[in-house]
Structure formats: C-alpha cells, structure tokens
Amino acid sequence: MLRVREGDQTSFRLLLERHRGPVIHFVYRMVQNQAVAEELAQEVFLRVYRFRDNYEPTAKFTTWLFRIATHLALNWIRDKRHEKLQDSLDQETADGVTRQVPDRSRTVEQELVYRAKLREVRQAIESLPAKQRAAVMMHKYEELEYSQIANVLSCSESAVKSLLFRAYESLRGRLAHMA
Amino acid sequence: MECSLKAGVADELVAGYTARTLDSQTETDFARHLGGCESCRELLARQQAVWSALDAWRPQELSPDFDQRLFQRIAEQEQTVWWRRLFQPRWAWAPALPVAAACAVLVAAFVLKDAWQTEAPSHSQPKARIEQQVVHALDDMDMLSQIGVDAVVERPGSPEKL
C-alpha cells in the first residue's frame, strides 16, 4: 500500500488481485445480493485509490480495507433495510439456476438438500443484527483476530467477543440441528 | 456435573477450539476439560454444527469484467477537473462558493477601476504638457515677430536664422 501511495500502479493491481475476492465475498455475505456486493466492492477499492495519499501504516492494511468495506455494507443495510433487495432464495431454486458454483458431483437429490441447507444458513445469517453479522463474517470466513475485528468495528475486544458469542448462540439455536 | 469454567470463558474456548485459533497449550488443556465436562461437549458439538453449516455457504463467482469496470471508474475519477471537485457536495463550504465568487468579482472590478483612474492621467499628462509648451512657444514666437526680434540659434562658426 505504501508503494501505491507513491503512485505505483502495478502495486495497486497486485493489491486488487490479492484482496478483491475476500472483500467481495465479505460484502456479499453481508448484503446477500451479488450485484450490490460488486458495486460496493468497487466503491471500496475506489476509496482505497482515492485516499491512498492519506494512508498511514498505523494498522494492518487488511484492517483498513475491511473497515471501509464494513462501513459501506452497514450503511447499505441501514438504508435499504425496508427493501427486499436480497437475491431471492426461492428464485434460486425455482428457475433452476444457482448463483453459486454448482457441484457436478452431487445428485439432483443431494443438490436439493444442499440448496435447502444453504437457504437456511442465509436466513439465519440475515436474522442477525448487522454488527453481529459483520463480526461473524470476519471471524468465520476472513479469519480475522478479535483485535482486528475490534479495530474494524471501532470497539473493544471484549465488545467483539460479546457480539460474536451472542451471534453464535443465535446461530446454534437455528442451525445446530444440521449436524 | 457443573462446568468449572467461568461464564463466557467456555464460549470463547469453544469458539477458538472450533476455529482452531487456540494456542497449543490452551487447546490441550481444553481438550482435557472436555473429557470431563458434558455441558462443554454439548456446546462444542452445537458450535461445530454451526461451523460446518456456514462452510456450505461458498463464495460466488466474480464478474469477469470487475477489474475493467473498476479501472474505468478510476480513470473517470482522475479526469474529474479540480473545479468540478470543488462543487461536489462533499465539500462543506461549497454553498459559500457563489458568494465568494461574487465578492471576488466585486473586488476585482474595484481594483481595476481604481487602477484605470490612476493610470489614465499618467498617459495624458505628458501629452497635455507638450501641447501647452507648443502653445507657449508659438505665443512667444508671435510676440517676438511682433516686436521685430528674430530668434537666432547660435551654432559654432556660423550663426543661422531660425
């Protein structure tokens, strides 16, 4: 990032290549809409580029990046909470097109079971308050440490633990039967 | 049998054990604790079920033109001229700009007017002075011719009439 700050375009491309996937996946799991996730992820990298001169290496770059991504995702969720813009789970099964990469090794029956399971997982995640959702996504999928999550969410580590344990408690209540 | 761990500690250990983020000593100690604690074993099983369910939610494929669109937007952003940026709403002082511009025009007009007024005489003054001198010279010549005196320009060697 320091090289990007000095105007090195190649470094920006490398940075994009390394972090684009995690950022889009994180935002997608937050907003549950692929088009919106890509739009927000574009905004994340645009902001990284725009504010490259202001970047100070006081925290890990990943933390800075996820702070921008979380901020945008939480704002979007707050602004659109009354609209149903999530990718429709029913449509996903009704039109026979899954937006995820299909696993060709599964039989039709297994595929149906998998989709039902996926729908339940998405609904369980969607039911979490936005900040708990962000904490779980960063902990489970991005494997960030408590201190990093705390930095991203601008709160203490103990607050992060509290968020996470409440979230996992809710998820256990909804998903533990899937074992 | 009651769990000997304090409230909240079991949650943290179970989450860390499932995510495999505990250091080796803590992991060994907790594994030993699990052997004798039914409630922690049950909690761990439920947490592992959640973990496995979340694993099913794999990432989606990315649009192939994501980078292209991003670099296009960066190029557009770079092309934005500085004065357009000034008028973007993110500038808190943008509403004051029209007032500032009007003030600048007024000040400029005042300065230019003042400069014109001070410069104008400086151009016309020598011209008026010359005209005045010419008039005086003609008057003098007229007066000298009337009294019969010829103006003589003395040059070394040969005097010459004007």
Side-chain angles (χ1 to χ4, degrees), chain B residues 75-103:
Chain B
E76 284 167 11
Q77 184 179 283
E78 293 282 287
Q79 281 170 1
T80 308
V81 288
W82 67 270
W83 55 265
R84 190 174 293 172
R85 282 185 202 158
L86 284 176
F87 287 96
Q88 282 175 353
R90 65 199 168 92
W91 294 94
W93 44 273
L97 276 176
V99 178
C103 288

Side-chain angles (χ1 to χ4, degrees), chain A residues 136-166:
Chain A
V136 169
M137 298 300 103
M138 283 186 271
H139 183 245
K140 165 70 181 113
Y141 295 109
E142 310 309 327
E143 299 179 351
L144 298 192
E145 295 167 7
Y146 295 133
S147 59
Q148 286 180 285
I149 301 172
N151 212 329
V152 169
L153 295 177
S154 305
C155 61
S156 65
E157 268 190 57
S158 57
V160 167
K161 286 177 186 174
S162 171
L163 276 175
L164 275 174
F165 303 149
R166 270 184 285 142

Side-chain angles (χ1 to χ4, degrees), chain A residues 30-31 36 72-86 126 128-130 133:
Chain A
M30 286 293 289
V31 302
V36 172
L72 289 171
L74 290 178
N75 278 357
W76 187 89
I77 290 168
R78 184 198 61 205
D79 295 343
K80 306 287 178 186
R81 65 184 183 276
H82 299 303
E83 297 174 28
K84 282 283 175 192
L85 286 176
Q86 287 89 348
E126 199 190 330
L128 295 175
R133 199 188 309 177

Side-chain angles (χ1 to χ4, degrees), chain A residues 4-165:
Chain A
V4 174
R5 193 174 68 175
E6 287 157 16
D8 186 349
Q9 290 290 323
T10 314
S11 295
F12 182 72
R13 282 179 188 273
L14 282 172
L15 198 135
L16 176 65
E17 204 168 307
R18 188 180 301 168
H19 297 284
R20 165 212 308 125
V23 167
I24 295 175
H25 300 153
F26 169 74
V27 178
Y28 169 69
R29 286 178 173 125
M30 286 293 289
V31 302
Q32 302 205 7
N33 179 302
Q34 182 68 10
V36 172
E38 288 199 9
E39 184 60 29
L40 291 177
Q42 291 238 332
E43 190 57 38
V44 170
F45 286 104
L46 267 177
R47 288 189 185 198
V48 167
Y49 190 82
R50 193 187 302 158
F51 299 123
R52 64 192 182 283
D53 294 339
N54 303 335
Y55 174 72
E56 291 295 335
T58 49
K60 277 181 81 172
F61 172 71
T62 322
T63 307
W64 188 59
L65 187 68
F66 275 93
R67 183 182 282 188
I68 300 173
T70 305
H71 175 77
L72 289 171
L74 290 178
N75 278 357
W76 187 89
I77 290 168
R78 184 198 61 205
D79 295 343
K80 306 287 178 186
R81 65 184 183 276
H82 299 303
E83 297 174 28
K84 282 283 175 192
L85 286 176
Q86 287 89 348
D87 285 340
S88 166
L89 291 165
D90 292 334
Q91 191 187 2
E92 203 170 40
T93 50
D95 62 12
V97 177
T98 176
R99 291 169 198 275
Q100 297 216 172
V101 184
D103 186 345
R104 296 186 194 286
S105 63
R106 281 196 290 258
T107 63
V108 174
E109 193 180 336
Q110 285 171 328
E111 186 66 28
L112 288 173
V113 170
Y114 166 74
R115 286 183 184 187
K117 188 177 175 180
L118 182 62
R119 182 186 300 117
E120 213 170 329
V121 169
R122 286 176 57 169
Q123 283 172 343
I125 293 290
E126 199 190 330
S127 72
L128 295 175
K131 229 170 173 180
Q132 284 186 24
R133 199 188 309 177
V136 169
M137 298 300 103
M138 283 186 271
H139 183 245
K140 165 70 181 113
Y141 295 109
E142 310 309 327
E143 299 179 351
L144 298 192
E145 295 167 7
Y146 295 133
S147 59
Q148 286 180 285
I149 301 172
N151 212 329
V152 169
L153 295 177
S154 305
C155 61
S156 65
E157 268 190 57
S158 57
V160 167
K161 286 177 186 174
S162 171
L163 276 175
L164 275 174
F165 303 149

